[in-house]
Each structure stands twice: as structure tokens, then as C-alpha cells.
Amino acid sequence: MERSSLRLLAGSQAFREIRERGLSPTRVRAIIGASGGPKWLVLSRLDQYLNEHFLSGAPQSITLLGSSVGAWRMALYATKNAHERFRKLEAINLDHFYQPPITSDEINIFIDRVLGEVFTESCRDQILNSPNRHLQVISVRNRRALNGRSAASQLLSLSLAAAGNLLSSSATRLVYPRVVVSQSGRTSIIGLPGENVTLDQENFPQALIASGAIPIVMSPVELPGSKARWHWDGALADYHFGGPFNVPDGLILYPHFSSKVVPGWFDKPLPWRKPKNHDYSRVVMLVPSSEFIARLPFGKVPDRHDITRLSNEERKCYWRMVVEATNHLVEDFHTALELDEGRSLVEPLQYK
């Protein structure tokens, strides 16, 4: 039997549930969208399938938690015509022309295009007023003593956070406090400290931009409703979301571009920093298999370095090939659900 292009990895409680009862859309209580820039393209068609088919008949309340591009993806899960908007976001990513050198101004042109063509005022209204899909956008902010936007100030803050993170994963928030922007009255599902800010029409664009504002590469953002500080990429605190999560019942669905989870951005060079098994006990990850990734052009998923390594035409061709190939992920997931609701596909998710 040919191996599936998609892996279904489940924490201990989720694994038992799926083996006994199958993967039911009505059991999903939260969805996670990780940072990763263009890596999300390997998930675009899966996001579309989850919205249009798997979750279309799920009436329960679902929290949509995301940082950086994951926040942009999760926001679309709360729209009525998510399939069309995902296609539009996908097309903008595939077709956008970058004029080197890639400066913050060049990136702002791309961001303005996405906000203007995808996150229109009517789209924002749908997200803010969704009765059963609740967005939570993650960013971080500066401390008062480090609230500068110069390159020197940014490097100082980054250095302090990186050095402290070697000793403790909690050191990052001493330099960059987490900011959770969500609809009024909604409690963050992140089981770690963070400042809560109400998401509204006024701060919606800034919240999305701040969530992906990479230090040095991009400009920081002032966020209405939050403290008067510069706000930055939520990945600094929650790169892939290591948990814990305030989800006492049900499942946490996590479409991800890799089975590897790096909790915070500063944990990338620290292989021992992993999620704790009990924090991921209710998590269900949908990830491309290593064999599938090996068959992609260059043997990898897209990343932001492609923008500088490849010409515009080379990059566009490569990214289009990857996106089309990911239809196999959708086909394999659909087949698994039709066969036995994912029982035969699910694997235990464990971190040593």
C-alpha cells in the first residue's frame, strides 16, 4: 500500500479518542496557525479543504490562535467565504513581484496588497462578528526601557532575549511581553502570561501587521488599545506554540508544515526545547510526510529565503509546483476520513 503524503499525529488523549471514535469535526475546539512565512503555502489547499468541507458543518465555538502568517490564516477561518479568500491570499503570494533589494518598504507593498484585496472592511466585519469562530492574534511588545525602533535598540533587545532564553524559556517575555489580541470578553487559550487587548475595526490591520513584524527586517507597529510601545512579530514568543493550552475538552487541530515544533523563535538553535507531552495531549497535527517533502522541488517547502535566492520567475514556478502538489495532502486526508474517520492514519505524537 502506498504511504500517505499526509501524517495525522495525535497527543495521548487525542490519539485514544480518534482510534476509538474517529476524528470528528464537532470535537474541534481550537485551531493553531504557526509562524513560518511562505511555508504556509504547503498548507493552503489543506486550509481550504478544512474550511469548505471538514468544518463546514461544525456549529460549535472554535478559537483560532495564530502568530505571524498563522494569524492571517486563522483570520480567514472566521469568514463566510474562506475558500475564496484563501485562494486570493495564495494567488497574491504566488504572483507578487519583488523588486530587490528587499527592504521594509518593499514588504509593506505586499502587506498593503493583502490587506486591501483579502482583508477588506466586509471581511473584517465577518471576522469580528463571527458567532462561533473566535480569532486570537499574537504579537509581542517592547518594555518601556527598550522601546526603541533603531537598529541598535532592536539588536540590544534581541540579544538580551536570546541570551536569557538559553537559561529559561520564560526569559523572552521579560524582554518581549506577549500581547493577545482577541474579541471582547474572550479568554486567551494560551496558558502562559500575556497582555489582553480587544480586537476591533480600528486595530485589526495593526494587529495582523504587528503579529508578523520581524525585527530588523520590518518596521514595528503601534497597536491601538495596547500600551504605547512598539509591537513586533508574535513568533518571538510563540513561533510554533509549545503550549500549554486552556482547552479543557475536545481537540486542538494543528495543520503544520512539519512534525517538528519549535516553541519560540529563540528556541530554533536549541534542539532540547520541545513541547511537553501533557501540553500536547489534545493536539491533532496534520503534517506533510518527509517522503512528500522530499519529492518537492529542492526537497523542501517554500521559505522567505526563496525571495532572495531565486529570481521572481524561478520562485513563482517553484511555489506553484509546490501548491499544486499539496492537493495530494487533501486527497489523502479525505480518503482517510472516508475510510474510517482517520483511525488507520493516526499516529501517536510524542516528544522525547
Side-chain angles (χ1 to χ4, degrees):
M1 180 178 176
E2 184 179 351
R3 185 168 179 176
S4 173
S5 296
L6 183 77
R7 299 182 71 191
L8 181 62
L9 306 173
S12 57
Q13 294 185 61
F15 179 78
R16 289 194 297 271
E17 176 174 327
I18 295 172
R19 288 298 295 266
E20 293 173 5
R21 295 186 279 170
L23 177 59
S24 169
T26 60
R27 289 287 293 156
V28 176
R29 296 294 183 270
I31 309 174
I32 297 175
S35 302
K39 292 177 183 177
W40 87 274
L41 288 170
V42 81
L43 302 171
S44 176
R45 299 293 166 86
L46 193 58
D47 281 331
Q48 293 169 44
Y49 177 85
L50 291 172
N51 272 281
E52 190 175 25
H53 299 286
F54 183 65
L55 295 170
S56 60
Q60 74 277 12
S61 176
I62 297 178
T63 299
L64 308 167
L65 176 67
S67 65
S68 194
V69 71
W72 298 61
R73 289 171 51 220
M74 292 302 101
L76 294 185
Y77 272 76
T79 61
K80 297 176 182 178
N81 52 345
H83 181 79
E84 296 176 13
R85 294 190 185 278
F86 267 114
R87 285 283 180 158
K88 185 64 177 177
L89 183 60
E90 178 186 297
I92 292 174
N93 275 264
L94 293 178
D95 298 332
H96 189 75
F97 180 87
Y98 289 94
Q99 181 66 49
I102 307 302
T103 63
S104 59
D105 289 340
E106 184 70 22
I107 297 172
N108 287 339
I109 293 173
F110 170 79
I111 291 173
D112 288 344
R113 185 180 175 194
V114 173
L115 289 174
E117 297 182 28
V118 179
F119 292 98
T120 61
E121 185 174 345
S122 63
C123 175
R124 298 173 200 174
D125 282 337
Q126 289 178 21
I127 295 166
L128 292 170
N129 297 310
S130 175
N132 57 4
R133 302 291 185 263
H134 308 295
L135 179 63
Q136 296 189 348
V137 177
I138 306 301
S139 67
V140 300
R141 63 169 174 82
N142 285 140
R143 292 288 186 182
R144 183 194 300 269
L146 297 169
N147 193 44
R149 58 179 298 172
S150 67
S153 179
Q154 292 181 53
L155 287 172
L156 175 60
S157 296
L158 290 169
S159 299
L160 288 172
N165 188 66
L166 291 172
L167 301 175
S168 171
S169 58
S170 63
T172 298
R173 66 173 176 266
L174 297 178
V175 180
Y176 294 108
R178 177 186 290 106
V179 178
V180 184
V181 192
S182 57
Q183 288 149 299
S184 178
R186 294 288 164 181
T187 302
S188 170
I189 66 167
I190 297 179
L192 294 169
E195 173 190 345
N196 294 307
V197 174
T198 299
L199 182 67
D200 55 33
Q201 273 284 3
E202 181 186 5
N203 66 16
F204 191 103
Q206 291 95 330
L208 289 186
I209 297 171
S211 189
I214 304 171
I216 305 299
V217 177
M218 297 173 62
S219 300
V221 177
E222 291 185 309
L223 182 63
S226 182
K227 291 187 177 181
R229 308 282 190 274
W230 294 115
H231 289 68
W232 300 96
D233 193 344
L236 295 175
D238 299 293
Y239 188 47
H240 294 163
F241 293 98
F245 305 105
N246 292 322
V247 181
D249 183 47
L251 303 174
I252 303 170
L253 191 63
Y254 190 178
H256 194 33
F257 44 78
S258 169
S259 59
K260 181 179 180 180
V261 171
V262 181
W265 191 82
F266 296 105
D267 295 326
K268 289 197 287 185
L270 310 179
W272 60 88
R273 287 282 169 77
K274 304 173 184 177
K276 294 179 174 62
N277 285 326
H278 64 270
D279 289 336
Y280 260 53
S281 64
R282 295 184 181 277
V283 173
V284 180
M285 296 186 74
L286 301 174
V287 304
S289 68
S290 57
E291 293 84 358
F292 172 82
I293 292 175
R295 292 194 297 268
L296 296 176
F298 304 112
K300 69 174 190 65
V301 301
D303 60 60
R304 62 188 179 91
H305 299 295
D306 297 332
I307 296 172
T308 53
R309 280 194 299 240
L310 304 173
S311 69
N312 275 290
E313 290 308 314
E314 289 171 331
R315 175 185 56 81
K316 290 177 183 180
C317 180
Y318 160 41
W319 286 7
R320 286 194 189 100
M321 292 174 67
V322 169
V323 170
E324 290 304 315
T326 61
N327 286 322
H328 292 298
L329 303 179
V330 174
E331 292 165 3
D332 287 348
F333 184 50
H334 179 77
T335 298
L337 292 176
E338 289 287 303
L339 177 66
D340 57 10
E341 296 179 295
R343 290 179 177 85
S344 58
L345 183 63
V346 69
E347 306 172 51
L349 173 64
Q350 293 185 325
Y351 293 99
K352 298 180 180 179

